[in-house]
Amino acid sequence: MAEANITVIIKRNYEEVSAEAFRYMKEIVENKKDAILGLATGSTPIGLYKKMIEDHKNNGTSYKDIKTVNLDEYVGLGAESDQSYVYFMHDNLFDHIDINESNVNLPNGKAEDMDKECERYTALLNDMRQDVQLLGIGANGHIGFNEPGTPFDSTTNIVKLKEKTRMDNARFFDGGIDEVPTHAITMGIKNVMNAKSILLIANGENKADAIKAMLEGEVSEECPASILQTHPNVVVIIDDAAASKLTK
Ligand code: PGA
C-alpha cells in the first residue's frame, strides 16, 4: 500500500502526464527563483521540457537564477556526442530557456579519473540539495542508473548497465545495442532521497510492473524505486497504462 507521503496522480495519456508535471515544476520555479532542480533524461521528460520551453517563450517564466543537477551520464560520452545526456539536456531544454550555463550541472562522463568525479559530484550534491528531483523509472524499477541490487545508501557511483537497460536505450543509438555504452555514472539513491521533494513520471504499459512494485511492493533493493515509499514528499504522475497493474 502506498504511504500517505506519496501522492499518485493518474492521467489518461502522456500529454496529460506532461501537463500535470509541468504545473508542478512551474509552481516551484515561480515560488523560488533560485530553486535547485534535479533533472532527468530519457523519453519520458521530453513532453514536460517542451511545456517548460513553451511557457518560457510565451509567458516569460525565467530560469535565470535556477540551478540544475542531472541524474546521470554515460561513461565515455561528452557534449560532442548527440547520445550523451549533456547533449540531450541542452537540446531538449537548456538551449531554449534563459538558464545560465554556469548553473547547469551533470556528472562528467569523460572525466580522467571517474572515482574522483564520483566524489566531486557527491560533494556538489551535498551543497546543492534539490528542491525537486525529477525521475523517470526503468522497466526494471531503476531510478537514475541505479539498477536492482544497488544499496539504498549509495552515493554517486559508476554502474555496469544491465542488458535490459542497454536494450531499452538502444533505440536512441543509430548502431543499436552495440553502440550503447556499458557503463554510466549516476547519482546514488542516497543523493536522490536527499531531495526535498521527488516528482516521478511514467507512461506506458511497459512501466506497469515497475510502478506496481514501487508503490505496492516491499521496500527492497530489488526495486530501487520502492525506496520512495520512505521519502516524505513524493508525487507520482502516471498514465492509465502505467497504472494498469495497481490494485490498491
Ligand atoms: P524513459 O527512461 O523515460 O526513456 O522510459 C526512464 C528511465 O529509464 O529511467
Side-chain angles (χ1 to χ4, degrees):
M1 176 69 176
E3 303 291 328
N5 58 316
I6 304 188
T7 304
V8 180
I9 301 172
I10 300 172
K11 294 288 176 183
R12 274 180 306 185
N13 52 41
Y14 177 66
E15 172 63 22
E16 288 185 13
V17 167
S18 301
E20 187 68 25
F22 166 68
R23 272 192 284 281
Y24 184 96
M25 237 355 144
K26 178 160 166 141
E27 197 175 319
I28 290 182
V29 170
E30 278 191 336
N31 288 336
K32 191 171 176 190
K33 301 289 176 207
D34 60 350
I36 298 173
L37 308 181
L39 298 178
T41 54
S43 48
T44 314
I46 291 176
L48 160 65
Y49 294 157
K50 282 204 173 113
K51 291 189 186 303
M52 289 165 73
I53 293 167
E54 212 176 271
D55 169 64
H56 167 71
K57 297 218 156 104
N58 295 340
N59 306 317
T61 303
S62 178
Y63 293 80
K64 203 164 53 66
D65 297 317
I66 295 288
K67 299 185 179 67
T68 67
V69 289
N70 255 80
L71 278 175
D72 47 17
E73 178 62 282
Y74 286 117
V75 170
L77 300 190
E80 73 293 342
S81 162
D82 61 7
Q83 302 301 338
S84 70
Y85 288 170
V86 63
Y87 184 100
F88 175 102
M89 287 308 302
H90 281 88
D91 195 33
N92 286 288
L93 182 64
F94 299 149
D95 289 354
H96 312 286
I97 57 176
D98 62 343
I99 196 157
N100 187 337
E101 176 65 31
S102 62
N103 287 337
V104 164
N105 299 280
L106 286 95
N108 178 5
K110 295 191 84 174
E112 226 159 83
D113 182 333
M114 289 308 288
D115 290 336
K116 279 221 176 86
E117 178 59 12
C118 289
E119 281 170 31
R120 180 195 73 85
Y121 205 62
T122 290
L124 177 136
L125 293 169
N126 288 339
D127 286 345
M128 294 182 67
R129 188 171 176 212
Q130 309 94 308
D131 288 285
V132 60
Q133 177 63 56
L134 174 67
L135 295 175
I137 185 170
N140 63 6
H142 74 208
I143 47 177
F145 269 125
N146 294 290
E147 302 279 19
T150 306
F152 284 150
D153 64 354
S154 62
T155 54
T156 312
N157 65 102
I158 306 295
V159 292
K160 185 171 185 318
L161 300 178
K162 291 249 164 42
E163 218 40 35
K164 170 87 179 106
T165 299
R166 292 183 68 233
M167 271 167 5
D168 282 350
N169 289 359
R171 66 188 192 276
F172 299 114
F173 289 79
D174 294 340
I177 188 150
D178 291 343
E179 272 185 24
V180 183
T182 54
H183 290 77
I185 175 170
T186 184
M187 217 184 256
I189 292 177
K190 193 172 165 188
N191 307 125
V192 170
M193 290 293 284
N194 192 42
K196 291 178 196 163
S197 69
I198 290 178
L199 170 61
L200 185 142
I201 54 177
N203 67 290
E205 214 203 319
N206 69 321
K207 300 293 173 71
D209 285 324
I211 291 294
K212 182 177 170 61
M214 169 178 83
L215 295 172
E216 296 181 354
E218 296 285 303
V219 176
S220 153
E221 289 173 358
E222 284 318 299
C223 176
S226 65
I227 189 70
L228 300 186
Q229 291 178 28
T230 68
H231 190 282
N233 184 0
V234 180
V235 176
V236 172
I237 306 174
I238 51 180
D239 71 349
D240 282 331
S244 60
K245 295 201 171 154
L246 293 177
T247 54
K248 294 173 188 161

